[in-house]
Amino acid sequence: MRRNSTSSLGAFHPILFFLFVYGLSLFLALFVCRTVYYSLNDNNSVIPELEQSAQLSGPGAGATAFR
């Protein structure tokens, strides 16, 4: 009789399947939660500061001095 060495892997099939499903669901949960978090928590306070600095040092800032 020849002993099959891959027969023990069949016993681990449910464990490997649930580990794979757990890892996949964990990855998707982190991706979805991160997307929802960043979509709800916009950083609106940075935009007015950038717009104000762009208005002060923008391309048309020096053009008014020569009129």
Side-chain angles (χ1 to χ4, degrees), residues 5-16:
S5 63
T6 59
S7 64
S8 63
L9 186 62
F12 287 114
H13 180 262
I15 296 170
L16 294 175

Side-chain angles (χ1 to χ4, degrees), residues 8-66:
S8 63
L9 186 62
F12 287 114
H13 180 262
I15 296 170
L16 294 175
F17 174 74
F18 285 118
L19 284 176
F20 174 74
V21 170
Y22 178 75
L24 184 65
S25 62
L26 186 66
F27 172 74
L28 289 176
L30 288 174
F31 178 73
V32 169
C33 290
R34 182 176 182 258
T35 304
V36 169
Y37 175 79
Y38 284 120
S39 68
L40 292 177
N41 292 323
D42 271 355
N43 207 359
N44 291 332
S45 62
V46 174
I47 294 172
E49 293 174 4
L50 292 175
E51 287 177 354
Q52 184 180 14
S53 66
Q55 287 175 356
L56 294 175
S57 64
T64 57
F66 294 111

